[in-house]
């Protein structure tokens, strides 16, 4: 069965960086795009960007340009998200999520069918 | 950015009754070349990640009960939950994937009356 298992909670000081891992299983890792979405307390879900796990191409939300890096390790079927220059507003639950791919008519479904359990990142001095 | 606005923010419905949640986008999410609405619905229970219910505005994800249905086109969409069950208590989100950044509604909290 498809599973995405994320790394554990992190507490960071302002200005630091955090790296969150998303280990996948149950499917061919390089076949499906992985997205990153975060949810700050009391806020709506916020899309951060995606990584093509096959060729490592990425697309980032402009809001996070220059601060976030997506990488992947195909040998470990794992995606990583690193966020730098942390500030208190970055306190949130960070999710990785798999994109389903293409439907029967050949159109890409850019929604999220399987999710990691979430990683709590707390930014506090 | 496309702004997604849901209504109501919360609602309480009796068991066995129907719940209706609305989602409005600030611009059309209908792609004219394929006539598809780039709109998804999710259910999120406390302490859990969201669960995909509907994509293309009305296509039910595999395994989702047929009590859940999506409708609408362009800028106005509806998620309907028929024969409400206790396990349907959750927050529901719409999401557009017409253009990046992909954006979500603020969520609608569904409770049992």
């Amino acid at each position: 069965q498809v599973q995405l298992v994320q790394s554990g909670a992190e507490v960071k000081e302002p200005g630091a960086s955090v790296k969150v891992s998303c280990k996948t299983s149950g499917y061919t890792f390089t076949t499906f795009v992985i997205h990153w979405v975060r949810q700050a307390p009391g806020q709506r879900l916020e899309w951060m960007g995606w990584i093509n796990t096959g060729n490592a191409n990425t697309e980032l939300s402009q809001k996070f340009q220059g601060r976030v890096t997506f990488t992947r390790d195909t040998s470990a079927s794992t995606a990583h998200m690193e966020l730098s220059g942390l500030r208190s507003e970055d306190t949130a639950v960070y999710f990785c999520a798999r994109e389903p791919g293409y439907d029967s008519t050949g159109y890409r479904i850019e929604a999220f069918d399987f999710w990691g359990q979430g990683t709590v990142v707390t930014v506090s001095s | 950015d496309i702004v997604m606005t849901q209504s109501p923010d919360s609602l309480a419905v009796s068991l066995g009754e129907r719940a209706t949640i609305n989602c409005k986008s600030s611009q059309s999410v209908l792609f004219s070349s394929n006539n598809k609405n780039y709109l998804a619905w999710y259910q999120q229970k406390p302490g859990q990640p969201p669960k995909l219910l509907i994509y293309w505005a009305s296509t039910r994800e595999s395994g989702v009960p047929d009590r859940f249905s999506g409708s609408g086109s362009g800028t106005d969409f509806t998620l309907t939950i028929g024969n409400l069950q206790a396990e349907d208590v959750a927050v529901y989100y719409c999401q557009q994937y017409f253009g990046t950044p992909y954006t979500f509604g603020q969520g609608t909290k569904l409770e049992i009356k």
Side-chain angles (χ1 to χ4, degrees):
Chain A
Q1 71 282 22
V2 174
Q3 285 191 305
L4 284 71
V5 179
Q6 297 182 222
S7 49
E10 303 266 10
V11 178
K12 296 290 183 181
E13 292 192 347
S17 298
V18 68
K19 189 170 186 177
V20 178
S21 299
C22 173
K23 183 168 178 58
T24 72
S25 60
Y27 71 97
T28 302
F29 176 69
T30 53
T31 304
F32 294 85
V33 169
I34 292 288
H35 293 254
W36 291 89
V37 176
R38 75 178 186 180
Q39 189 170 35
Q43 301 297 310
R44 68 182 68 194
L45 295 155
E46 182 175 31
W47 177 79
M48 300 177 69
W50 55 258
I51 181 167
N52 181 317
T53 52
N55 60 19
N57 286 348
T58 62
E59 180 172 358
L60 310 178
S61 169
Q62 200 160 10
K63 176 175 178 175
F64 299 99
Q65 294 273 0
R67 282 214 301 148
V68 72
T69 304
F70 300 143
T71 57
R72 97 287 192 226
D73 178 349
T74 57
S75 66
S77 299
T78 299
H80 305 276
M81 184 280 297
E82 185 167 18
L83 184 62
S84 62
L86 290 169
R87 31 205 191 232
S88 59
E89 311 90 87
D90 294 318
T91 293
V93 180
Y94 289 76
F95 295 101
C96 60
R98 193 190 80 162
E99 184 183 297
Y102 294 81
D103 69 6
S104 58
T105 60
Y107 292 101
R108 183 178 166 191
I109 305 167
E110 291 155 276
F112 318 120
D113 62 351
F114 288 93
W115 295 65
Q117 82 277 18
T119 297
V120 176
V121 175
T122 303
V123 183
S124 173
S125 55
Chain B
D1 297 2
I2 299 175
V3 178
M4 308 299 290
T5 304
Q6 293 180 225
S7 62
D9 289 333
S10 64
L11 77 162
V13 176
S14 300
L15 290 172
E17 297 298 308
R18 177 187 303 170
T20 300
I21 298 170
N22 301 300
C23 175
K24 189 174 185 69
S25 57
S26 62
Q27 65 187 74
S28 177
V29 298
L30 173 64
F31 194 36
S32 56
S33 68
N34 61 10
N35 202 37
K36 289 183 179 291
N37 287 284
Y38 283 58
L39 190 284
W41 287 98
Y42 299 86
Q43 175 193 68
Q44 186 178 30
K45 296 180 179 180
Q48 296 184 19
K51 173 186 175 182
L52 178 63
L53 298 174
I54 303 278
Y55 58 93
W56 295 139
S58 60
T59 302
R60 207 175 298 114
E61 171 71 341
S62 176
V64 173
D66 60 9
R67 304 184 289 104
F68 292 86
S69 63
S71 62
S73 186
T75 61
D76 292 279
F77 300 91
T78 299
L79 174 69
T80 302
I81 308 169
N83 186 22
L84 192 73
Q85 304 293 301
E87 62 263 30
D88 299 333
V89 169
V91 178
Y92 292 84
Y93 295 94
C94 60
Q95 175 230 336
Q96 66 79 19
Y97 50 99
F98 183 84
T100 57
Y102 304 135
T103 49
F104 293 82
Q106 81 276 19
T108 295
K109 187 175 184 179
L110 175 60
E111 298 173 316
I112 303 297
K113 188 186 294 183

